[in-house]
Amino acid sequence: QVQLVESGGGLVQPGGSLRLSCAASGDISTIYTMGWYRQAPGKQRELVAVITPGGGTNYVDFVKGRFTISRDNAKNTVYLQMNSLKPEDTAVYYCKANRRVSPYYDYWGQGTQVTVSS
């Protein structure tokens, strides 16, 4: 129904910045809230940020003041601007979208690797 493709990951120095993109295609009319998750090796997947169609946002404490989630409905794309990156931010970052109509389930992207290292 919906395909999500993340891009923008890579290798950056501590203190550097990256901007992740998530492009949605398919039946995009079914998309409601979107968000970013991340998963490091040996750790659980964790929520990073979410954004509603109206632009409301929520962030986990460890990224507040450093990361910004945004949404461009015309481009069917969500972004995650990451500043002041730390080595502990290293993970695979996944885009997620949930459906606004029944049946209710989530769409997931394939992930993009972010590595923060000197």
Side-chain angles (χ1 to χ4, degrees), residues 94-114:
Y94 295 92
C95 181
K96 191 197 80 172
N98 58 8
R99 288 172 56 86
R100 65 190 305 164
V101 295
S102 180
Y104 297 103
Y105 56 85
D106 297 330
Y107 304 115
W108 288 91
Q110 83 288 351
T112 185
Q113 177 70 46
V114 172

Side-chain angles (χ1 to χ4, degrees), residues 1-23:
Q1 288 287 296
V2 169
Q3 295 78 46
L4 304 175
V5 179
E6 303 96 333
S7 62
L11 174 64
V12 296
Q13 301 256 14
S17 298
L18 282 174
R19 191 192 193 201
L20 306 183
S21 298
C22 173

